[in-house]
Amino acid sequence: MRIRTLAALVLGGLMAAAPASAAVAPGHGGPATAAGLGAATTMAAAGPRSAAGTGTTGRGMSGHEHAGDTGDAVRYAALRTCKNKKKEDRPCGPWRLMLHSGKVRELPDARVFPRDGHRKVHKDSPAPIAVSGNGGHIAYVRERDDRLVVRELTGKVHVMPAAALPAKTNMMGLDLALSLDGSTLAVHDGANEKFLWLYDVASGRRLGSLPAGDELLGFSGDEDQVLTRRQTDENTTEIISYDLSGAEATRQVPPQIAAQDVPMALHADGDLVAFYSEGSRALKLFDLRSNAVVNSVRVKLPGGGAPDMVDWTGARQVTLHVLTGDAGNGTMHILQVDPGTGAVRVRDTYRVKNTFVFAACGG
């Protein structure tokens, strides 16, 4: 997930609703989070690329099916706000899962407070957690033995190998992300940048390793690639795609307009990158093959701000998660946008109340 220096923000990783005085996991530098590691992407692709750059190529996809459309699913996982002995706000558990049905489930085995590299527990920060894009899987650190697990909403638990979370890892900078269907887990040591690993959830097998200094932006539309961003020693930004084994597919130093520090998502075709430019208030498509912005449509967002999560959720559909108000008592707007016409459909809205931190599903 990408960490932003704001007092409140989202994520397919964590969205912090902590007050400025409260310390949140530092990750890449500051409280609150956003749509990098945590923004699980979705399905897409079928049909030739259009002249406007909004079509797709080759891989058959049936479009996005959010679990909440056909059955219950997690909207977000959250920790409540409590007071410590100094009357300061702090997170308190257990983690709770807020479902589309309105039901609330608890995760009593999930670690609430992270350990640092010296095994010290920090009670002013939340432990890492992530929700899959379809709301059916939750990744977290198990309290009793500090193992990474992925729990299905059905109750089934997948325990990752002990090596997936080395003993002296600083959990305050640990980023977790799940693909849309929860089948792939990304684990990033954001504090010390020692590892960025991809795991098959069902088998626990490590699929591949990526450069630990990369910022993981998310999975491609059909989930067989990942997109990253890197700042080079020459003070330029690189956008890179890899397959799940860690083999590099494409690398570009994009034009300035596409080198923004914003959420981005990779289409199923492995070429088109969608992002929102707050300056021009437009959803833009950047083509990794031609290294050019190939399409731009103006999109008016609630509150006039920028999206916290961006995901390809169909061959011609980009889904934006936009938070308005304070993250502890705000409203999440989930918008489906046609990147060719700019047409917007509201898929869902929900309130987040009295929350210290929350992790939203992507997609």
Side-chain angles (χ1 to χ4, degrees):
M1 108 190 54
R2 181 168 59 85
I3 303 297
R4 290 184 180 176
T5 54
L6 299 177
L9 260 179
V10 333
L11 53 290
L14 279 187
M15 164 181 273
S21 60
V24 183
H28 300 294
T33 104
L37 272 182
T41 37
T42 62
M43 317 179 126
R49 177 191 297 272
S50 71
T54 57
T56 65
T57 56
R59 303 173 194 138
M61 303 297 297
S62 60
H64 178 58
E65 292 184 6
H66 194 279
D69 297 335
T70 55
D72 216 353
V74 180
R75 274 177 164 153
Y76 64 95
L79 291 175
R80 293 172 297 162
T81 298
C82 297
K83 300 287 186 182
N84 61 17
K85 294 180 180 179
K86 297 180 180 180
K87 305 299 182 182
E88 298 170 333
D89 287 344
R90 47 152 277 190
C92 59
W95 282 99
R96 298 185 300 160
L97 304 178
M98 309 302 177
L99 308 185
H100 278 262
S101 64
K103 296 178 181 179
V104 179
R105 292 191 188 179
E106 294 186 346
L107 285 177
D109 64 330
R111 174 169 286 283
V112 173
F113 305 115
R115 296 182 186 272
D116 64 20
H118 302 287
R119 310 295 292 163
K120 180 181 177 181
V121 173
H122 291 258
K123 292 192 174 182
D124 56 358
S125 299
I129 198 168
V131 180
S132 64
N134 67 359
H137 295 67
I138 310 94
Y140 55 91
V141 180
R142 192 162 60 184
E143 171 74 26
R144 64 180 172 85
D145 57 5
D146 286 342
R147 291 286 287 270
L148 284 177
V149 302
V150 178
R151 177 181 291 274
E152 296 184 31
L153 196 55
T154 59
K156 186 175 183 179
V157 177
H158 305 273
V159 182
M160 298 299 101
L165 185 59
K168 294 185 178 181
T169 299
N170 182 359
M171 297 179 195
M172 297 175 69
L174 183 69
D175 296 331
L176 304 177
L178 285 164
S179 59
L180 166 71
D181 60 4
S183 64
T184 308
L185 171 68
V187 185
H188 187 205
D189 175 18
N192 299 306
E193 297 185 345
K194 290 184 177 180
F195 55 82
L196 201 175
W197 295 325
L198 301 175
Y199 283 89
D200 176 76
V201 168
S203 67
R205 179 173 63 91
R206 187 189 298 179
L207 299 172
S209 299
L210 305 182
D214 282 17
E215 174 192 359
L216 182 61
L217 297 173
F219 294 85
S220 64
D222 57 358
E223 305 179 79
D224 66 356
Q225 288 185 311
V226 292
L227 185 70
T228 75
R229 180 166 50 210
R230 177 190 304 166
Q231 299 298 316
T232 71
D233 293 338
E234 290 75 34
N235 200 32
T236 60
T237 298
E238 292 181 330
I239 298 178
I240 313 159
S241 64
Y242 302 88
D243 67 21
L244 298 186
S245 73
E248 183 179 309
T250 312
R251 176 195 301 263
Q252 290 286 9
V253 177
Q256 185 175 1
I257 193 172
Q260 303 178 47
D261 183 23
V262 296
M264 294 183 171
L266 180 64
H267 194 282
D269 66 4
D271 294 320
L272 289 176
V273 175
F275 67 97
Y276 185 82
S277 174
E278 190 172 5
S280 58
R281 300 199 178 284
L283 180 67
K284 297 180 180 292
L285 299 183
F286 167 69
D287 191 318
L288 282 171
R289 282 189 296 179
S290 64
N291 198 30
V293 174
V294 295
N295 203 54
S296 178
V297 291
R298 286 183 63 85
V299 179
K300 184 178 180 180
L301 299 183
D308 301 296
M309 304 167 73
V310 176
D311 296 285
W312 280 102
T313 50
R316 296 176 62 91
Q317 184 184 87
V318 176
T319 295
L320 309 179
H321 281 60
V322 182
L323 181 71
T324 57
D326 177 77
N329 292 280
T331 300
M332 181 68 83
H333 309 262
I334 304 175
L335 312 176
Q336 295 173 327
V337 182
D338 183 321
T341 66
V344 177
R345 172 181 175 267
V346 179
R347 190 184 81 196
D348 190 21
T349 59
Y350 61 83
R351 290 292 307 277
V352 179
K353 300 179 180 180
N354 302 319
T355 298
F356 184 92
V357 66
F358 77 94
C361 73

